[in-house]
Amino acid sequence: MERIEMSDKELKRLEVLRQVLDGVVSQKAAAERLGLTDRQVRRLLRRYEAQGAAGLVDRRRGKPSGRRLAPSFKERVMARLSQCYADFGPTLAAEHLAAEGLSVSKETLRGWMIEAGLWQAARGRRVTLHPPRPRRARLGELVQIDGSPHDWLEGRGKRCTLIAFIDDATSRVMHAHFAPVESTQAYLSALQDYVTRHGRPVALYSDRHGIFTKHDPEDEAPTQFQRALDTLGIAGIQARTPQAKGRVERLFQTLQDRLVKAMRLTGISDLLSANAFLEPYLVEHNARFAQSPAEPNDAHLPYEGKAEELARCCATHHRRKLSKDLVLSFRRQRYIVRTQGAPRYGLRGANVTVVVYGDGRIELLHGQEVLAFTVFDATQDVPQPLDDKTLNARVDELVEKRTPKKLWRPGPDHPWRQYPEPPPSEGGKEAAP
């Protein structure tokens, strides 16, 4: 007797139809249990009475699907995939292939890639060790910030860091830019751009690096970034674990896959081109991954100051004291305050703020007054203290500048080589002088 392979769905139909024929269940009740109409149940009964259990087996089983893709199309897709997208995931590869007119579902492509050895199927479901924190309700209530040092240009250019600000309520990337290193000035520049575009958020959520907070409890002086936040009325909150600011961490995981490959296809190889490419890319990224907030009201407050005041706030500030001759020293240079001929005795011994902008420009401030000055000494290369985020960039710079020192050796016609070599003594040792 031929063995019939039946699915669970077909076995359930067989059991219910037998109960109908035995008079235990009515056709209407059977239709409700099977999720079918009365007419479909009567049709299945006729097939069962005529063919037995084999009549309930799906007639399409073992036959090729009518919606199958042509083998020639599969060959074109796989050839293009191997040529340009061999290390892409199925979802990302399907998006790029669709843009080229080769539309195929990501699951179909996943099967083809597994068959070709270009993708490995995931084993089991991932275990979530850290329960997700509920999102904030409004845009601008909490913005997570962080930097990701990575080989974003894949060796086509120098290693750099991506500074990103992402909103907690919407997962919308509010700001991102590439910087040579993850430094205080990189975050201050990002803060200036953010406030200019969106206004002042309620709070920024960061890690506990020295850029954002002092680790010495007895040091009450704020960091440069804390000073800027206090001036703008923005709260700074530090997370205790990377998982606490999981949205920005997952953002970097996504961008290290998608953004890196997008820049590879475009051939970007320098920081300037990468930042120019990033802005339109983030528009598409937010359109795909951002979501609507629970409440439509925006929590940002507008910045009502002038642009130059915001730029001054987002520069680095250093305190110095003027001498009796109205001179101060900063980075091994002397700055002489010009008084335009009028005596300024009140400035003697006064505290002055040296404001250093991101482009290297310097201002001297006494309160709100900008002081004119003359630089007495030439610019000097002053080594700055490094932290763990800037150390690697500094060592890479030193490696590039380092050239191997060639040892000098006299030529064969040099006078030193005109003297004969001393004869070896007995036992292979040289004779004593």
Side-chain angles (χ1 to χ4, degrees):
M1 182 176 180
E2 184 180 359
R3 184 178 179 181
I4 302 174
E5 295 288 342
M6 301 183 71
S7 65
D8 293 340
K9 178 180 178 181
E10 293 164 347
L11 289 173
K12 182 179 180 181
R13 287 184 176 183
L14 175 61
E15 179 184 356
V16 173
L17 292 178
R18 283 177 175 174
Q19 294 177 358
V20 172
L21 293 177
D22 293 340
V24 178
V25 177
S26 66
Q27 293 185 6
K28 184 176 181 180
E32 293 177 355
R33 290 176 59 180
L34 297 176
L36 303 174
T37 63
D38 295 350
R39 183 178 178 182
Q40 289 174 315
V41 170
R42 288 193 295 271
R43 183 166 62 246
L44 290 175
L45 283 172
R46 288 194 297 268
R47 286 169 52 185
Y48 178 63
E49 291 174 345
Q51 305 176 25
L56 302 180
V57 176
D58 193 343
R59 298 178 182 180
R60 296 171 297 180
R61 184 173 301 169
K63 298 181 181 180
S65 171
R67 300 174 59 186
R68 69 187 183 279
L69 299 173
S72 58
F73 177 77
K74 178 181 178 180
E75 293 177 1
R76 288 174 53 200
V77 169
M78 296 306 295
R80 186 59 178 166
L81 186 70
S82 301
Q83 180 183 4
C84 297
Y85 313 120
D87 61 339
F88 284 39
T91 302
L92 184 58
E95 293 176 7
H96 283 274
L97 290 170
E100 299 181 10
L102 299 174
S103 297
V104 57
S105 70
K106 63 180 181 180
E107 295 304 328
T108 299
L109 187 61
R110 189 189 308 276
W112 292 352
M113 293 176 68
I114 293 175
E115 180 183 345
L118 298 177
W119 185 255
Q120 186 174 2
R123 296 181 178 179
R125 181 172 296 182
R126 297 178 181 177
V127 179
T128 303
L129 300 178
H130 302 274
R133 174 181 54 81
R135 295 175 180 269
R136 297 300 305 177
R138 296 184 298 166
L139 176 72
E141 284 188 346
L142 184 66
V143 178
Q144 299 186 17
I145 65 176
D146 202 1
S148 175
H150 183 67
D151 188 11
W152 293 98
L153 302 179
E154 298 180 302
R156 298 184 303 274
K158 295 182 179 180
R159 291 179 64 91
C160 54
T161 297
L162 180 65
I163 307 294
F165 287 31
I166 181 173
D167 181 65
D168 185 80
T170 63
S171 291
R172 175 184 171 190
V173 183
M174 308 295 288
H175 169 88
H177 80 280
F178 289 105
V181 294
E182 188 177 0
S183 62
T184 296
Q185 187 56 59
Y187 281 101
L188 288 173
S189 299
L191 178 63
Q192 179 182 352
D193 181 80
Y194 184 100
V195 174
T196 301
R197 294 190 178 196
H198 309 292
R200 297 176 294 146
V202 177
L204 296 183
Y205 198 35
S206 67
D207 56 28
R208 298 181 59 82
H209 190 265
I211 294 175
F212 309 111
T213 183
K214 291 285 186 69
H215 293 170
D216 185 0
E218 297 182 358
D219 189 355
E220 297 181 356
T223 66
Q224 296 284 351
F225 195 76
Q226 284 178 318
R227 173 198 51 78
L229 293 185
D230 292 341
T231 304
L232 295 172
I234 302 172
I237 306 175
Q238 285 75 47
R240 294 188 177 274
T241 63
Q243 292 80 11
K245 50 185 184 63
R247 304 208 194 287
V248 69
E249 297 289 351
R250 288 190 293 273
L251 170 67
F252 287 139
Q253 292 179 359
T254 301
L255 295 181
Q256 286 176 10
D257 178 39
R258 287 174 166 264
L259 177 58
V260 165
K261 293 178 173 65
M263 292 194 295
R264 179 204 305 169
L265 297 176
T266 314
I268 292 175
S269 59
D270 61 272
L271 207 62
L272 185 63
S273 302
N275 279 320
F277 175 83
L278 188 59
E279 185 169 356
Y281 177 86
L282 290 179
V283 175
E284 299 179 2
H285 175 91
N286 288 332
R288 176 180 177 85
F289 294 104
Q291 56 183 275
S292 301
E295 297 181 10
N297 298 331
D298 193 341
H300 288 96
L301 293 179
Y303 177 72
E304 300 175 349
K306 299 180 180 178
E308 55 267 24
E309 294 174 350
L310 178 60
R312 184 177 296 133
C313 173
C314 294
T316 57
H317 292 195
H318 308 270
R319 301 283 288 179
R320 292 296 184 272
K321 192 172 184 177
L322 287 175
S323 68
K324 294 181 179 180
D325 298 327
L326 305 186
V327 178
L328 63 86
S329 179
F330 179 69
R331 293 180 180 174
R332 298 181 184 175
Q333 288 181 291
R334 285 171 291 178
Y335 292 75
I336 305 173
V337 175
R338 297 200 306 263
T339 59
Q340 283 79 28
R344 298 287 302 271
Y345 300 112
L347 291 177
R348 291 179 176 179
N351 290 322
V352 175
T353 302
V354 182
V355 182
V356 183
Y357 291 88
D359 58 1
R361 184 167 54 92
I362 290 180
E363 267 186 354
L364 299 185
L365 287 181
H366 178 243
Q368 299 298 322
E369 179 186 4
V370 180
L371 302 176
F373 63 90
T374 302
V375 182
F376 186 77
D377 302 302
T379 304
Q380 300 186 39
D381 186 11
V382 181
Q384 299 294 324
L386 303 176
D387 56 25
D388 58 328
K389 294 183 180 292
T390 56
L391 176 61
N392 288 332
R394 177 58 177 164
V395 174
D396 291 340
E397 181 182 349
L398 294 175
V399 169
E400 290 182 2
K401 293 181 178 179
R402 185 180 185 185
T403 55
K405 185 177 181 181
K406 296 182 179 180
L407 297 177
W408 180 82
R409 297 181 181 274
D413 56 344
H414 196 277
W416 290 0
R417 292 187 177 271
Q418 295 178 5
Y419 297 97
E421 296 289 339
S425 62
E426 295 181 0
K429 296 182 180 180
E430 296 183 357

